């Protein structure tokens, strides 16, 4: 799965149904509610995107949760206050019980999102999901160019299928929400990407420049754009925004800059364990989709209920609040805005998840980010040399 940039809810889903209110035991009132549940139903996927956010060792993860287990997780999260649920993967369409999970989520009052590549989607499934109460479908593309799209996806039929399903989603009166992950191999075609989105009558388009986690981090040398590429892409996007606004066109373009070209870190997940709850295919509960790589024993929904996991587990409390912060974060005036940045990024780049996010210009490790930017100026790695996300490469990387 590639998330929508920061893996936050889409603008199309900005008005979730009212979350359940409940009295909290002593001390819990200081911890936010898990309003957004990301249900990673499976790591199975027919595509091989080299920037997938799934863990590198996905091929050796445990057995997937069954339908009854997912129904319990969905119910427990709703009881805790979750208002929005995203079904993702891998490719969630490979789950035969997806319509049942959507239907129960709708019955419980969730705003429901399906995050999909569109591969495996059919007109019949769209109709089934709509009857079950699905509120929103997001379809991802690899490129506006059919050859590049299919090369990155690893399927000669992917682009045609995505086009057909995007049109089918629109025909069923869903908001048209498209996601393009941009990187050095497609960002120079940002104008063609936007033109395709306009032709498909998209309502929301996220032009999400690659964030470097999972497989994207492994392929960073071949994917990170240069600053010049990014500045041009942002300029072109703004020109289209102005033109669309002048025409009264409803399409909204969302441009996501990669962390590597920022001087201050993003408020990752709105703070560790404060808003987002991810449950992986084998039931591991995480405060963000990338946290599995950290040297922390995260709890599993097969062993604990979600209330215990959210409020009491070590994993969800490890980086909550400010007490864990070292300098320069501890004395920084912006610590309540960015929460020290991304723990996963700190770990990947420095080997210590408690360090300040190296994206921050105040971090003693910021030079690592500067070096990556400079490397991008000279990178020449073609698409064919990227390490693609598939079972064979996952097994090789994990040594299984």
């Amino acid at each position: 799965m590639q998330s929508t940039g920061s893996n936050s809810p889409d603008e199309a889903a900005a008005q979730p149904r009212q979350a359940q209110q409940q009295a909290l035991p002593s001390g819990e009132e200081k911890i936010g509610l898990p309003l957004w549940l990301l249900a990673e139903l499976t790591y199975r996927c027919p595509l091989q995107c080299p920037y997938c956010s799934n863990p590198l060792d996905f091929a050796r993860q445990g057995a997937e949760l069954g339908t009854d287990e997912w129904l319990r997780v969905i119910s427990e999260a709703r009881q805790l206050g979750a208002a929005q649920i995203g079904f993702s993967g891998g490719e969630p369409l490979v789950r035969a019980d997806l319509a049942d999970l959507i239907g129960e989520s709708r019955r419980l009052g969730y705003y429901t999102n399906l995050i999909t590549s569109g591969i495996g989607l059919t007109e019949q499934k769209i109709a089934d999901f709509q009857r079950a109460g699905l509120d929103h479908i997001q379809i991802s593309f690899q490129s506006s160019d059919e050859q590049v799209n299919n090369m990155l996806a690893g399927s000669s039929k992917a682009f045609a299928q995505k086009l057909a399903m995007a049109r089918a989603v629109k025909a069923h009166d869903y908001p048209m929400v498209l996601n393009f992950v941009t990187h050095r191999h497609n960002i120079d075609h940002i104008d063609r990407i936007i033109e395709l989105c306009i032709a498909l009558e998209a309502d929301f388009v996220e032009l999400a420049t690659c964030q470097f986690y999972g497989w994207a981090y492994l392929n960073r040398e071949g994917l990170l754009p240069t600053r010049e590429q990014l500045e041009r892409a942002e300029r072109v996007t703004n020109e289209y925004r102005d033109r669309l606004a002048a025409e009264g066109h409803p399409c909204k373009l969302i441009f996501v800059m990669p962390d590597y070209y920022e001087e201050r870190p993003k408020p990752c997940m709105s703070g560790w364990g404060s808003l987002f709850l991810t449950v992986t295919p084998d039931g591991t509960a995480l405060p963000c989709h990338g946290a599995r790589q950290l040297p922390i024993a995260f709890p599993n929904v097969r062993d604990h209920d979600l209330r215990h996991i959210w409020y009491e587990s070590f994993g969800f409390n490890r980086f909550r609040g400010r007490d864990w912060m070292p300098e320069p974060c501890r004395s920084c005036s912006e610590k309540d805005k960015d929460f020290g940045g991304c723990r996963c990024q700190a770990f990947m780049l420095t080997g210590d998840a408690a360090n300040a996010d190296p994206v921050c210009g105040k971090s003693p490790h910021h030079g690592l980010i500067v070096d990556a930017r400079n490397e991008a100026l000279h990178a020449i790695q073609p698409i064919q040399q990227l390490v693609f996300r598939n079972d064979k490469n996952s097994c090789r990387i994990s040594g299984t």
Side-chain angles (χ1 to χ4, degrees), residues 307-376:
R307 176 172 287 280
H308 168 86
I309 287 171
W310 182 257
Y311 289 111
E312 300 177 34
S313 70
F314 172 79
F316 276 78
N317 283 292
R318 175 63 181 89
F319 295 111
R320 271 185 174 138
R322 300 187 296 268
D323 291 346
W324 62 269
M325 290 183 178
E327 295 294 350
C329 298
R330 181 177 291 272
S331 58
C332 180
S333 61
E334 299 181 51
K335 63 179 177 290
D336 292 324
K337 297 179 181 178
D338 60 35
F339 313 107
C342 177
R343 300 302 88 224
C344 299
Q345 199 150 250
F347 176 73
M348 287 187 297
L349 291 170
T350 75
D352 186 347
N355 282 332
D357 188 336
V359 163
C360 184
K362 299 179 182 181
S363 167
H365 304 285
H366 187 61
L368 296 170
I369 295 294
V370 175
D371 290 345
R373 295 173 188 168
N374 291 334
E375 289 169 3

Side-chain angles (χ1 to χ4, degrees), residues 99-287:
D100 295 331
L101 300 179
I102 291 169
E104 180 62 9
S105 299
R106 179 59 178 266
R107 187 189 71 79
L108 291 171
Y110 281 99
Y111 188 100
T112 54
N113 305 262
L114 174 60
I115 305 165
T116 176
S117 68
I119 307 303
L121 194 59
T122 64
E123 291 263 10
Q124 183 61 55
K125 286 184 179 180
I126 295 173
D128 291 343
F129 298 156
Q130 195 162 43
R131 281 192 295 271
L134 184 64
D135 292 297
H136 165 242
I137 301 174
Q138 175 188 290
I139 295 180
S140 64
F141 278 77
Q142 282 70 32
S143 176
S144 59
D145 179 272
E146 182 170 11
Q147 182 177 3
V148 173
N149 186 101
N150 291 346
M151 188 180 301
L152 288 167
S155 168
S156 62
K157 300 178 180 179
F159 188 72
Q161 168 71 5
K162 289 170 182 288
L163 288 179
M165 288 303 100
R167 295 184 178 112
V169 166
K170 187 74 175 182
H172 280 262
D173 294 324
Y174 277 107
M176 171 66 74
V177 183
L178 301 179
N179 171 257
F180 280 80
V181 177
T182 59
H183 43 78
R184 69 182 302 114
H185 296 291
N186 66 5
I187 198 167
D188 292 333
H189 302 151
I190 198 78
D191 50 346
R192 300 179 205 172
I193 290 173
I194 295 173
E195 288 290 347
L196 174 61
C197 294
I198 293 171
L200 290 172
E201 302 180 85
D203 298 289
F204 298 90
V205 178
E206 187 163 36
L207 304 166
T209 312
C210 221
Q211 301 292 355
F212 292 95
Y213 302 91
W215 293 82
Y217 184 72
L218 183 67
N219 287 301
R220 188 182 70 182
E221 181 181 351
L223 294 174
L224 182 64
T226 65
R227 185 182 294 278
E228 182 181 8
Q229 285 181 299
L230 283 162
E231 289 176 347
R232 176 189 175 275
E234 189 171 30
R235 183 177 68 254
V236 170
T237 301
N238 286 333
E239 289 170 356
Y240 270 95
R241 282 174 176 155
D242 292 343
R243 194 189 89 188
L244 293 169
E247 295 172 356
H249 197 287
C251 183
K252 300 291 187 298
L253 302 177
I254 304 161
F255 187 87
V256 181
M257 185 72 73
D259 293 356
Y260 278 54
Y261 287 93
E262 302 286 2
E263 292 299 317
R264 289 291 179 270
K266 63 179 180 287
C268 194
M269 298 293 124
S270 298
W272 181 276
S274 66
L275 184 66
F276 293 88
L277 170 62
T278 296
V279 178
T280 69
D282 70 354
T284 302
L286 304 170

Side-chain angles (χ1 to χ4, degrees), residues 30-42:
K30 296 180 181 179
I31 299 174
L33 299 177
L35 296 177
W36 167 250
L37 171 63
L38 181 64
E40 290 186 330
L41 300 180
T42 182

